[in-house]
Amino acid sequence: MFSRRQRVALLSVCAAVAVAGAGALTATAAVAAATRYEAENAPATCDGVVESNHAGYSGSGFCNGNNAVGAAAQFTVSAAAAGTATVRIRYANGATANRPADVVVNGAVVQAATAFSPTGEWTTWATKTLTVSLNAGSNTIRLAATTSNGLGNLDYLEVTTGDTTTPPGRPAECTGNSPIRCHFAVSPGNYTVTAWIGDRASAGNTAMSVEARRRILPAVTTAAGTISKYVFTINVRQPEGQPTGQGGTGTPGLDITFAGSAPKLSGLTVEPASNPLVVYLAGDSTVCDQPSAPYTGWGQILPTHVSAGAVIANYGDSGESSGSFLSNSALFPAMRPLIKQNDLVLIQFGHNDKSTSASTFRNNLASLINHVRERGGVPVLVTPPVRRLFNGNQLTSTALHVNGVSVNLPAEMRRLGSSLNVPVIDLTAKSEALVESLGPANSAQLFLRQSVDGVTDNTHFSEYGAGKMADLVVQGIRERNLALVSYLR
Ligand code: GCU
Ligand code: CA
């Protein structure tokens, strides 16, 4: 393992790599997606003829309904969940009189004789917006003329389920297009960030990260006309990466980056978060928000698994041991007064307890545990992820954190966990299984490789490896049924 000074020197020569979507992670639920249904495409039906003789329509034409009472156009639309939907109906009415229609949803008239006012020309298209209730799954929406003039010409129907608020537009705090960078001058704390990702006019591929390369949303693809609203809770600290400022202190305030192959943003708001569940991370360089690529801590990928209402506050810091984390004023003393009732504190040490005795290690961890409990918080012990040091096909005892004075640090953590009734996530065992199953060669991708990363390091993770470790931590959070489970995406 490199000394802190060596690591900083190495980091400074590594090229900064733009954020990319971590493909292994699952995307979140999009809550507001608009889907367009063209009147000329089956299963839509048209009591009349599909024509294309008046310009400005979308798709390949429009429905020119018969001029008769009851002549209808019907659409079949789907909704992911039952609830309110916004329906936008595009039509042209080049005649001089209103062409009213009954709106019939799943056979029931929900809005009788709805006005479709003249648009002036048959080539002038307008949009009528309605709110209707839909069932989960398939629904029919029928527009039936109530006068002998029939319907106006119908182009399409667009259905937005879930959240129906109009995106507020890109704020002045954002600049650039690829990536889009946004800066909000806010104080340290927790913020609710709402991002409307996608664009009315063009397709997009957008990933979101904040602060010091902290991953929030892996790249999502949006079709033209589809805007998805995402809500996250984000922790802002100063310095923004490692609490002691190693590798750079960043910019005060909240920095948000939208990258991906075609970033599209239709709105972004930042408000103070009220009372989120905070998950504090107490750890070392394998956990921390690493400011410079290729180094990546698992704590900086963990937020991709967490939905709004819960937030990861990563106090991981390079080179820290159970003792230094306890005493350094930027670390536990800074975190401790912020811990509130039910907040989780994940405690992972071992990498830098190379010569710590068993009793000192236990005492340091017990102090952390007791102080967290005094605040009403819930401590959780996380045994350290393995180093990639093989003897044949098996990891060595050094890899498994038996330290320089023969203390088996993970075993001490497990024992302490059972004696103090603290949940333990056995990341040593989980990562041992993963690294050994990949074997000496294939496990290299989890760590840093000269050929790819410009540095060989069998302790620190690549972005890929940090993502795998975050997956194992999430698995442990589920197994221990910690409060974060109800916020996992
Ligand atoms: C015209 C127009 C048609 C329209 C019809 C109507 O014929 O070209 O597109 O449907 O009027 O009044 O319904
Ligand atoms: Ca007509």
Side-chain angles (χ1 to χ4, degrees), residues 51 53-54 62-67 95 99 122 149-153:
E51 289 181 337
N53 57 333
H54 299 300
F62 54 84
C63 170
N64 169 2
N66 300 330
N67 300 68
R99 296 262 177 117
W122 291 106
N149 289 329
L151 299 171
N153 291 342

Side-chain angles (χ1 to χ4, degrees), residues 3-166:
S3 72
R4 187 179 299 183
R5 175 173 302 208
Q6 280 171 320
R7 266 202 311 278
V8 171
L10 280 170
L11 293 179
S12 66
V13 299
C14 295
V17 171
V19 291
L25 304 173
T26 45
T28 56
V31 297
T35 307
R36 186 174 293 181
Y37 300 89
E38 297 286 351
E40 68 274 19
N41 291 344
T45 60
C46 172
D47 296 344
V49 284
V50 169
E51 289 181 337
S52 56
N53 57 333
H54 299 300
Y57 55 83
S58 118
S60 58
F62 54 84
C63 170
N64 169 2
N66 300 330
N67 300 68
V69 173
Q74 181 170 305
F75 298 83
T76 302
V77 307
S78 68
T84 303
T86 300
V87 175
R88 301 170 73 241
I89 304 161
R90 193 160 186 262
Y91 76 100
N93 177 1
T96 50
N98 173 25
R99 296 262 177 117
D102 284 345
V103 178
V104 185
V105 176
N106 297 323
V109 176
V110 297
Q111 217 166 300
T114 304
F116 287 83
S117 307
T119 58
E121 306 286 342
W122 291 106
T123 50
T124 302
W125 300 86
T127 301
K128 173 100 189 169
T129 302
L130 309 172
T131 302
V132 300
S133 287
L134 296 181
N135 301 327
S138 185
N139 296 265
T140 56
I141 299 180
R142 184 177 176 85
L143 303 171
T146 59
T147 72
S148 58
N149 289 329
L151 299 171
N153 291 342
L154 285 175
D155 185 15
Y156 64 70
L157 187 146
E158 207 170 67
V159 177
T160 305
T161 51
D163 190 288
T164 54
T165 51
T166 306

Side-chain angles (χ1 to χ4, degrees), residues 169-321:
R170 179 170 143 164
E173 284 88 347
C174 300
T175 54
N177 289 314
S178 189
I180 301 165
R181 294 187 197 281
C182 311
H183 177 79
F184 294 85
V186 296
S187 310
N190 296 311
Y191 293 89
T192 302
V193 174
T194 307
W196 284 261
I197 290 175
D199 190 273
R200 277 239 160 266
S202 44
N205 176 275
T206 312
M208 177 177 166
S209 63
V210 302
E211 299 289 271
R213 298 174 59 240
R214 200 186 311 157
R215 305 308 195 229
I216 303 299
L217 183 69
V220 291
T221 297
T222 45
T226 298
I227 298 169
S228 298
K229 180 176 144 184
Y230 293 87
V231 187
F232 305 99
T233 310
I234 304 293
N235 177 254
V236 177
R237 300 183 306 284
Q238 179 59 30
E240 67 181 28
Q242 304 188 61
T244 62
Q246 295 181 73
T249 53
T251 318
L254 171 59
D255 291 274
I256 307 178
T257 303
F258 296 91
S261 60
K264 300 290 178 212
L265 184 69
S266 293
L268 184 67
T269 60
V270 174
E271 299 157 284
S274 70
N275 214 30
L277 171 70
V278 183
V279 180
Y280 291 93
L281 305 182
D284 51 39
S285 57
T286 64
V287 179
C288 74
D289 284 355
Q290 293 276 3
S292 304
Y295 291 85
T296 313
W298 61 254
Q300 92 192 103
I301 307 289
L302 192 60
T304 61
H305 294 275
V306 177
S307 50
V311 62
I312 306 298
N314 190 353
Y315 283 73
D317 196 77
S318 290
E320 306 304 341
S321 64

